[in-house]
Every structure is written in structure tokens, then in C-alpha cells.
Amino acid sequence: VPGHDHAAIGFALDAGASIVVPQLETVEEAKHVMSSAKFGTKNRGTRSAPPFRLIPTLTDQGYDGVRDVWQNWNDQAAVMVQIESLAGINNLDAILTECPDIDVVWLGALDCRISMNLPANFGMGNEPEWLETKEKFYATLKKHNKPLAGFSFAPGEALAAAAQEHSMILHSSDVTKLMELKQELMNAREAVQGVVKK
């Protein structure tokens, strides 16, 4: 979703998607996000039930048949958050303590480095303050037993190394695929150059 907007969060979840919420920095923001994502009293849920989810015997049934349909819907999709600043990392322990139903946490390393006035460097670096910040992030995830997600466009061994610490990796994107189109179009033009239909 593009931000912390209540309507955008509900819209994506109503469509059946899991969500990734960017730029989470404070407990208050986390509580708002979780409230927007949940029904009923769980996390002070303020999510609105769309009428099409209540078609009798078709979409109004819980998948486990034991709990109420609202409780089932609260578990239907993952709520993932991106921590993209030093402030977010410093508040992460409190965020996960107050909002234990956050399912997955991402480290937005590039944005976090920028927030620390470090070179973006594709989210990588060996500066002592960066290594200390990353260690704090990973230790907090371990303390709360939360899975890590993120990007890794690296091939081979570098991707395998990322898989050692990540539970979910995005390995491609629409932007990278669009970049590949340039070469594909050049190849196509070369292949048909000089071809004349009779």
C-alpha cells in the first residue's frame, strides 16, 4: 500500500492481498496500521466489512469453521511492515511489543542509510554505525520471533546468503523487467531489419 491510509489498507485486504506498509517509525503508526487491518476488538480493529464479503453461504464463512468469520478474516492475509529509518529501528522493540500481530518485518536498508546520512549505496555498507544499527534490527526481530522479508536482486551465492536470514525475498520487480525490454526490442529490430513482405 502507498502509506498508512486506512482506506488503502482496507481496499487491498478486501481484494484478498497481503499488504506491505512502508515507512513505519512509531508505536502510534503501528497501532493505526493494525487497527486499519483488523476487524472487531482485535488491535482496536476499525476495518469496515465490505457487503460482498457477506454473501450467505458463499463468502460469509470462516475457513476453520470454529471461530467467527471476523476472526478468520483477521488471519486471512499477512500484514508486513517496512522499517526504513533509524527512528524505526530504535522504536522497533516497542512497536512489536505493542503490536504483536505484525506478521513480517522488512528492513528498508537504502532509506535507512539515507536517514542516517550515509551514502545510499544500494542499502549496503560497512560503516560501524550501520553495522551496529543492523545488528540492533536483527536482534529485535529475533527477540520477537518475527520473520524478515526484503529485496535481493543478487544472483547465485549472494542470493543463497540472503536466503539464510530472510523468510521471504523479492528477487525481481516490474522496473527490472521493463529495463530488460530495451534489449529485447533491439534484438527484435535487428532480427527483422531488411525484411520486406512480398
Side-chain angles (χ1 to χ4, degrees), residues 115-154:
S115 83
M116 298 172 66
N117 298 312
L118 297 171
N121 200 31
F122 297 101
M124 297 179 288
N126 291 317
E127 302 89 347
E129 63 268 40
W130 176 241
L131 297 177
E132 181 181 325
T133 297
K134 282 181 30 177
E135 179 55 37
K136 182 175 186 178
F137 174 83
Y138 292 126
T140 304
L141 287 192
K142 186 173 183 180
K143 173 184 175 183
H144 291 274
N145 194 28
K146 293 296 177 183
L148 171 66
F151 293 100
S152 177
F153 297 120

Side-chain angles (χ1 to χ4, degrees), residues 46-60:
T46 58
R47 185 172 163 201
S48 176
F52 71 84
R53 294 299 301 266
L54 297 171
I55 300 170
T57 71
L58 183 62
T59 59
D60 68 338

Side-chain angles (χ1 to χ4, degrees), residues 45-98:
T46 58
R47 185 172 163 201
S48 176
F52 71 84
R53 294 299 301 266
L54 297 171
I55 300 170
T57 71
L58 183 62
T59 59
D60 68 338
Q61 305 298 306
Y63 59 82
D64 68 12
V66 176
R67 300 177 302 159
D68 185 84
V69 66
W70 310 107
Q71 294 168 319
N72 280 258
W73 288 355
N74 278 339
D75 295 338
Q76 78 173 16
V79 177
M80 299 174 272
V81 299
Q82 286 183 304
I83 304 300
E84 302 182 71
S85 68
L86 180 59
I89 290 175
N90 288 337
N91 292 326
L92 186 57
D93 185 44
I95 288 169
L96 295 176
T97 298
E98 292 291 322

Side-chain angles (χ1 to χ4, degrees), residues 154-172:
E157 291 181 15
L159 180 59
Q164 294 297 317
E165 58 186 20
H166 287 73
S167 296
M168 182 176 85
I169 298 174
L170 288 177
H171 186 59
S172 189

